[in-house]
Amino acid sequence: MAKKSRKQQQAGGTPATVALTAAGVDFTVHAYDHDPSHPSYGEEAAEAMGVSPERVFKTLVADVDGALTVAVVPVAGQLDLKALASAVGGKKAAMADPALAERTTGYVRGGISPLGQRKRLPTVLDASAGGHATICVSAGRRGLEVELSPADLAALTGATLAPIGRP
């Protein structure tokens, strides 16, 4: 796993790291060798970085009453679709079609970041993020994570904090 300086991040950055740099927030990039045979992108990231799975968050795209919505939840748990729908004032939520999620965000599955998306979508960050000084989310490609404060993530994505994860 390699950490990159801000100058290196700008030179070979993803839309997520470019957005973070432009915003001037403190963050750290963690790179690791992605294993395509690993059954879980998020758990692989936690293991590779040596970070508790409660601090590593996955970015999921759901369809809430016909509108795509981003959910950011710990990799140690699952997304509660009913809670997500409620958090955005909707009635019903289902996971979005993966191809649609990729086209809309500009990222590939397993590398979707809540930051720097092609189209800004409503975002909900699981309330458990507030219990950590920093959390890790995808930096925009498999094998690349960004660590930042939950407050900065919420501010940059316009996220609502709500209890949308379940163990």
Side-chain angles (χ1 to χ4, degrees), residues 135-157:
I135 60 171
C136 299
V137 296
S138 176
R141 71 172 180 255
R142 296 171 189 155
L144 196 66
E145 294 280 312
V146 64
E147 182 177 351
L148 73 165
S149 79
D152 285 339
L153 178 61
L156 291 172
T157 60

